[in-house]
Amino acid sequence: MLFRKDIDPRCVYCQHGKALNEEQIACPKKGVVSPGYHCRRFAYDPLRRVPPAPAVVDFSRFKDEDFEL
């Protein structure tokens, strides 16, 4: 499976909503709403969702011996 099924519905990544700015979404059903809002017409659009940044690995705690075969 490419995408998780348990994604929380939010207007910020709904295919019906259009972003006005960072704090407002224009929904054709409900009007201007906040990005965290959702309604029954929610349809997930995976291209609108921005995943969290990956964690930075701290290599300073490893020694050279850890990378030898």
Side-chain angles (χ1 to χ4, degrees):
M1 171 169 269
L2 188 57
F3 302 108
R4 295 185 347 215
K5 286 191 175 202
D6 61 344
I7 294 196
D8 295 329
R10 297 185 189 276
C11 285
V12 73
Y13 43 83
C14 176
Q15 72 182 16
H16 302 294
K18 305 290 182 231
L20 298 175
N21 55 36
E22 291 183 10
E23 299 176 0
Q24 294 179 334
I25 305 292
C27 176
K29 179 112 176 139
K30 299 289 184 175
V32 178
V33 295
S34 70
Y37 181 78
H38 72 277
C39 64
R40 290 191 294 172
R41 193 175 176 196
F42 173 78
Y44 180 61
D45 185 1
L47 298 178
R48 291 187 184 208
R49 186 160 182 261
V50 179
V56 178
V57 179
D58 181 23
F59 289 106
S60 65
R61 62 186 177 129
F62 296 110
K63 300 176 185 172
D64 289 336
E65 296 87 35
D66 293 333
F67 297 100
E68 293 179 0
L69 293 176

